[in-house]
Amino acid sequence: MTENHGAERADPLTRIIDAALQRAGGWLPFDRFMALALYAPGLGYYANASRKFGRMPESGSDFVTAPELTPLFGRTLARQVAEALERTGTDELWEFGAGSGALAAQLLGALGDRVARYRIVDLSGLLRERQQHALAAHAGKVEWLSELPERMRGVIVGNEVLDAMPVQLVARRGGQWFERGVVRLANGALGWDDRPTELRPPVEIEGGHDYLTEIHPQARAFIATLAERLEQGAAFFIDYGFPEAEYYHPQRHMGTVMCHRGHLADADPLADVGQKDITAHVDFTGIALAGQDAGLAVLGYTSQARFLLNAGLLPMLEAASLPERTLAARLIHEHEMGELFKVIGFAAGEGWEALGFAEGDRSHTL
């Protein structure tokens, strides 16, 4: 199977991808392509100078995340973080993929002296510069790392981090499974090519119809590594996704890979490589199992709406201005972020009845 996606420019990122294709014999698994498109140093989407985060397209941004939408997101999350710091007897906060620095500023502002140090793990040097500017008032507490340390203590947060981790694509056609990869076509364009594979989704897909989906070894490996290194503390991840039974439902036959640019979405990751975000929904069952298998306790799993309401968003909304309430309502509205986004919590060692999962916990659906 091949598709034509238009001629590519001979820019530096294209040359890096072509070199990777050549080393791989002309066929690159999608997860390796996605990693280059997003993270190639200085050139990939998250490593280049384009503006990613903002409320509106007029800002030159590509998408909005909850902390950019309203500071009430971080202030509400801070209540769960405060409980977790107390329960785990720690005073350090870790954030993965801190984006513009908005969430860090909100958490530090709300938590004050309860946080002795805020550590940001981010691969993007350019985003780090923006974060340093946004967090200038907290400069004495914030530290940046480009990789995980061997040992960690504290509370970890990650908002829209797991969805940006490279995924493998698998396709069933005519009853056979293939891994979908990227090739350079004769006309110079990037195209798709499927090769027979032993890879399978984690559950059997009912029916014999053609089916495209993702598997998530990198996200699971990330959670397992965190679990091994987190000696004392907790972790909370917020992202869009589903439990396994929904993710691999027979009717979800087109996969979930999407691209974002200028606040518009498209399904073609082979076009405008490096100039737009590439994401896939999160398989939260896989995330939960990866954590459990590595020794973490699952504190809970629920929708973003229920989590924020449990953590005290409603009184904050009542005290906010009308414009602030209008924006913050998107966090919990069923047709906006409220239902699509989920929250999963872990604890190193023994868990507790965490605030954010007090009502509406859906752990039984994982």
Side-chain angles (χ1 to χ4, degrees), residues 3 37 51 69 111 124-125 136 139 189-191 199 206-207 247 259 270 300 311 316 334 356:
E3 290 184 33
R51 181 168 183 183
L69 189 64
L111 292 166
S124 172
L190 290 173
L199 295 173
E206 294 180 11
Y247 198 106
C259 305
L270 303 189
M316 296 186 194
E334 183 177 358

Short mmCIF file of all heavy atoms in Angstrom, two decimals, residues 3 37 51 69 111 124-125 136 139 189-191 199 206-207 247 259 270 300 311 316 334 356:
data_model
loop_
_atom_site.label_atom_id
_atom_site.label_comp_id
_atom_site.label_asym_id
_atom_site.label_seq_id
_atom_site.Cartn_x
_atom_site.Cartn_y
_atom_site.Cartn_z
N GLU A 3 0.73 5.73 -0.71
CA GLU A 3 -0.06 6.91 -0.99
C GLU A 3 0.87 8.06 -1.29
O GLU A 3 1.95 8.17 -0.72
CB GLU A 3 -0.95 7.28 0.21
CG GLU A 3 -2.08 6.31 0.45
CD GLU A 3 -2.96 6.77 1.58
OE1 GLU A 3 -3.11 7.99 1.75
OE2 GLU A 3 -3.50 5.91 2.29
N ALA A 37 10.01 13.63 13.38
CA ALA A 37 9.15 14.76 13.03
C ALA A 37 8.91 15.68 14.22
O ALA A 37 8.78 16.90 14.06
CB ALA A 37 7.82 14.24 12.47
N ARG A 51 5.65 28.85 17.39
CA ARG A 51 4.83 28.97 18.60
C ARG A 51 3.79 27.87 18.62
O ARG A 51 3.06 27.68 17.65
CB ARG A 51 4.15 30.34 18.65
CG ARG A 51 3.32 30.50 19.91
CD ARG A 51 2.84 31.90 20.17
NE ARG A 51 2.13 31.94 21.45
CZ ARG A 51 1.54 33.03 21.91
NH1 ARG A 51 1.60 34.16 21.24
NH2 ARG A 51 0.90 33.00 23.07
N LEU A 69 -5.62 28.00 28.70
CA LEU A 69 -7.03 28.41 28.62
C LEU A 69 -7.43 29.22 29.85
O LEU A 69 -8.07 30.27 29.73
CB LEU A 69 -7.91 27.17 28.49
CG LEU A 69 -9.38 27.38 28.18
CD1 LEU A 69 -9.55 28.02 26.82
CD2 LEU A 69 -10.11 26.03 28.23
N LEU A 111 0.86 26.77 45.41
CA LEU A 111 1.42 25.90 46.45
C LEU A 111 2.43 26.60 47.35
O LEU A 111 2.67 26.16 48.47
CB LEU A 111 2.06 24.67 45.80
CG LEU A 111 1.06 23.71 45.14
CD1 LEU A 111 1.77 22.73 44.24
CD2 LEU A 111 0.24 22.98 46.20
N SER A 124 13.06 20.14 24.81
CA SER A 124 13.16 21.29 23.92
C SER A 124 13.89 22.44 24.58
O SER A 124 13.41 23.03 25.55
CB SER A 124 11.76 21.75 23.48
OG SER A 124 11.85 22.97 22.78
N GLY A 125 15.05 22.79 24.04
CA GLY A 125 15.78 23.94 24.54
C GLY A 125 15.06 25.25 24.31
O GLY A 125 15.10 26.16 25.14
N ALA A 136 10.23 33.38 35.83
CA ALA A 136 11.29 34.22 36.39
C ALA A 136 11.05 34.52 37.87
O ALA A 136 11.99 34.59 38.67
CB ALA A 136 11.40 35.52 35.60
N ALA A 139 12.49 31.69 40.01
CA ALA A 139 13.78 31.20 39.49
C ALA A 139 14.57 30.41 40.53
O ALA A 139 15.28 29.45 40.19
CB ALA A 139 14.61 32.38 38.99
N ALA A 189 7.86 12.21 -2.99
CA ALA A 189 6.95 12.43 -1.85
C ALA A 189 7.12 11.33 -0.82
O ALA A 189 7.63 10.24 -1.11
CB ALA A 189 5.51 12.44 -2.34
N LEU A 190 6.70 11.63 0.41
CA LEU A 190 6.60 10.60 1.42
C LEU A 190 5.31 9.83 1.22
O LEU A 190 4.28 10.40 0.83
CB LEU A 190 6.61 11.21 2.83
CG LEU A 190 7.93 11.82 3.30
CD1 LEU A 190 7.73 12.55 4.63
CD2 LEU A 190 9.02 10.75 3.44
N GLY A 191 5.35 8.53 1.48
CA GLY A 191 4.16 7.71 1.34
C GLY A 191 4.12 6.61 2.37
O GLY A 191 5.09 6.39 3.11
N LEU A 199 3.39 -7.93 15.18
CA LEU A 199 2.79 -6.99 16.13
C LEU A 199 1.27 -7.12 16.10
O LEU A 199 0.67 -7.31 15.03
CB LEU A 199 3.18 -5.55 15.79
CG LEU A 199 4.65 -5.17 15.92
CD1 LEU A 199 4.87 -3.75 15.39
CD2 LEU A 199 5.11 -5.27 17.38
N GLU A 206 -12.57 -7.69 17.09
CA GLU A 206 -13.64 -8.53 16.54
C GLU A 206 -13.92 -8.16 15.09
O GLU A 206 -13.78 -7.01 14.68
CB GLU A 206 -14.91 -8.36 17.37
CG GLU A 206 -14.79 -8.88 18.79
CD GLU A 206 -16.08 -8.70 19.56
OE1 GLU A 206 -17.10 -8.37 18.93
OE2 GLU A 206 -16.06 -8.89 20.79
N GLY A 207 -14.35 -9.16 14.32
CA GLY A 207 -14.71 -8.94 12.93
C GLY A 207 -13.54 -9.18 12.01
O GLY A 207 -12.40 -9.39 12.43
N TYR A 247 -10.74 2.04 23.21
CA TYR A 247 -9.67 2.37 22.26
C TYR A 247 -9.66 1.38 21.09
O TYR A 247 -9.54 1.79 19.93
CB TYR A 247 -8.32 2.31 22.99
CG TYR A 247 -7.21 3.04 22.26
CD1 TYR A 247 -6.75 4.26 22.72
CD2 TYR A 247 -6.64 2.52 21.10
CE1 TYR A 247 -5.75 4.95 22.05
CE2 TYR A 247 -5.66 3.19 20.43
CZ TYR A 247 -5.21 4.41 20.90
OH TYR A 247 -4.23 5.09 20.22
N CYS A 259 -3.06 15.47 13.57
CA CYS A 259 -2.10 16.57 13.53
C CYS A 259 -2.83 17.87 13.87
O CYS A 259 -4.03 18.01 13.61
CB CYS A 259 -1.47 16.69 12.15
SG CYS A 259 -0.69 15.16 11.59
N LEU A 270 2.23 12.98 7.18
CA LEU A 270 3.31 13.00 6.19
C LEU A 270 3.41 14.33 5.45
O LEU A 270 4.33 14.52 4.66
CB LEU A 270 3.14 11.86 5.18
CG LEU A 270 3.07 10.45 5.77
CD1 LEU A 270 3.13 9.40 4.66
CD2 LEU A 270 4.17 10.20 6.79
N GLY A 300 -6.47 6.24 40.95
CA GLY A 300 -7.78 6.43 40.34
C GLY A 300 -7.66 6.80 38.88
O GLY A 300 -6.56 7.08 38.37
N ALA A 311 -11.77 18.15 42.93
CA ALA A 311 -10.65 18.90 43.52
C ALA A 311 -11.01 20.34 43.87
O ALA A 311 -10.15 21.09 44.34
CB ALA A 311 -9.46 18.87 42.57
N MET A 316 -14.23 27.90 42.91
CA MET A 316 -13.39 28.86 42.18
C MET A 316 -14.17 29.50 41.04
O MET A 316 -14.03 30.69 40.76
CB MET A 316 -12.14 28.16 41.64
CG MET A 316 -11.21 27.62 42.70
SD MET A 316 -9.68 26.97 41.97
CE MET A 316 -9.02 26.05 43.36
N GLU A 334 -18.90 18.61 28.64
CA GLU A 334 -18.80 17.27 28.05
C GLU A 334 -18.33 17.31 26.60
O GLU A 334 -17.62 16.40 26.15
CB GLU A 334 -20.16 16.58 28.15
CG GLU A 334 -20.16 15.15 27.64
CD GLU A 334 -21.49 14.46 27.81
OE1 GLU A 334 -22.41 15.09 28.38
OE2 GLU A 334 -21.60 13.31 27.37
N GLY A 356 -9.00 13.87 43.97
CA GLY A 356 -9.50 14.01 42.60
C GLY A 356 -10.35 12.85 42.11
O GLY A 356 -11.06 12.97 41.12
#
